[in-house]
Amino acid sequence: MTESIRNKKKHTTDNLLYGLIYLSAGFSVALLVGIIGYVCIRGMGSVSLSFLTTVTSYSKGTVGILGNIVNTLYIVVLTLLFATPLGIGSAIYLNEYAKPGPMVRAIEFTTETLSGIPSIIFGLFGMTFFGEVLHLGYSLLNGALTLTLMVLPLITRNTQEALKTVPASYRSGALGMGATKWYMIRTVLLPSALPGIVTGIILAVGRIVGESAALLFTAGSDYKLPVNGMGYLGKVLQSGGTMTIQLYLSMQHGDYTTAFGIAVVLLIIVLGINFLTKYLAGKLDVNRR
């Protein structure tokens, strides 16, 4: 039995399936390259230093997205501040404290269902509950709370899967040495699961940056910068349009030049997030070993 599987004779059906597999992979790559290439060709000419560092002003004759970039940063930071502790805490409870049974299955089913709900429904809920019932109106805080509900399942599930990959011997070894359960989780479990947790958080950032439908109903579309230091704090309770919202509005008004310019910036951010995810996951995994 020295003949390996690779050296076995391939039949016609095998060759056909190999061809279909390579064709599918090539189509996926070509599709990605085509989209990136088309967007860059249409929008790269619009991206400049002034485009990234100014705000659109008809009186001054400037076109820029600095206000939208700042609003996007607000949304990302606020959403992560709410979603990260809740998601990691929920995963720790489900994986380490809750006893397997109907309750855990119900929570996991609810989490998976939340991840499949269309974003526009989250926007409708955020507009009525956070906006009208809690009187937050169109504000960055409203948008961040709504996006928290959207990315919470992503962070929870990724953290849960990361915790499951930690060997049981780590837990029993720490507890056998006299450590309390919380001390074991804090000093052994979480550091070991850190690559998967960070990956989930960065993927959540990618979804936050690319979201538009929910924010259109909750955060509004204002693109102005805060006036002073206190204005930056008060901006949380004011309307603020992210880059995706501005892209939608530019397309709606027929301003394709600005829209494709924003699309180029968003593509660069999304690609950067993907590369950062791979780099940090590999780096943390190496450090853990």
Side-chain angles (χ1 to χ4, degrees), residues 264-283:
V264 170
V265 177
L266 285 172
L267 273 178
I268 293 172
I269 292 174
V270 170
L271 289 174
I273 288 172
N274 287 333
F275 285 123
L276 181 64
T277 302
K278 291 184 176 296
Y279 172 77
L280 287 179
K283 193 78 173 176

Side-chain angles (χ1 to χ4, degrees), residues 178-256:
T180 61
K181 190 164 188 175
W182 172 240
Y183 185 84
M184 178 270 295
I185 292 172
R186 182 166 51 87
T187 60
V188 177
L189 207 58
L190 289 179
S192 300
L194 195 57
I197 296 173
V198 171
T199 299
I201 293 172
I202 296 177
L203 291 175
V205 172
R207 184 170 185 186
I208 295 167
V209 171
E211 184 54 47
S212 59
L215 293 176
L216 194 62
F217 290 107
T218 56
S221 58
D222 183 64
Y223 57 86
K224 298 182 180 66
L225 285 170
V227 179
N228 50 42
M230 292 302 295
Y232 277 93
L233 295 175
K235 182 67 175 175
V236 174
L237 298 175
Q238 297 174 9
S239 172
T242 61
M243 287 186 288
T244 51
I245 296 297
Q246 188 58 44
L247 188 153
Y248 166 77
L249 295 176
S250 297
M251 290 291 291
Q252 193 177 45
H253 297 150
D255 187 5
Y256 298 109

Side-chain angles (χ1 to χ4, degrees), residues 155-179:
I155 296 177
T156 302
R157 294 300 294 172
N158 271 274
T159 303
Q160 230 181 325
E161 294 304 318
L163 292 173
K164 288 179 181 178
T165 61
V166 180
S169 58
Y170 286 23
R171 297 173 175 82
S172 57
L175 294 175
M177 293 176 66

Side-chain angles (χ1 to χ4, degrees), residues 100-155:
M103 186 65 177
V104 173
R105 290 196 295 270
I107 295 174
E108 291 179 345
F109 175 77
T110 304
T111 303
E112 292 170 357
T113 304
L114 272 177
S115 62
I117 294 177
S119 58
I120 197 166
I121 296 179
F122 282 103
L124 182 63
F125 173 80
M127 181 181 68
T128 54
F129 182 73
F130 297 124
E132 297 179 6
V133 176
L134 299 185
H135 305 290
L136 293 178
Y138 286 100
S139 64
L140 291 171
L141 181 58
N142 187 353
L145 290 172
T146 303
L147 288 186
T148 297
L149 301 179
M150 293 180 60
V151 302
L152 189 59
L154 179 61
I155 296 177

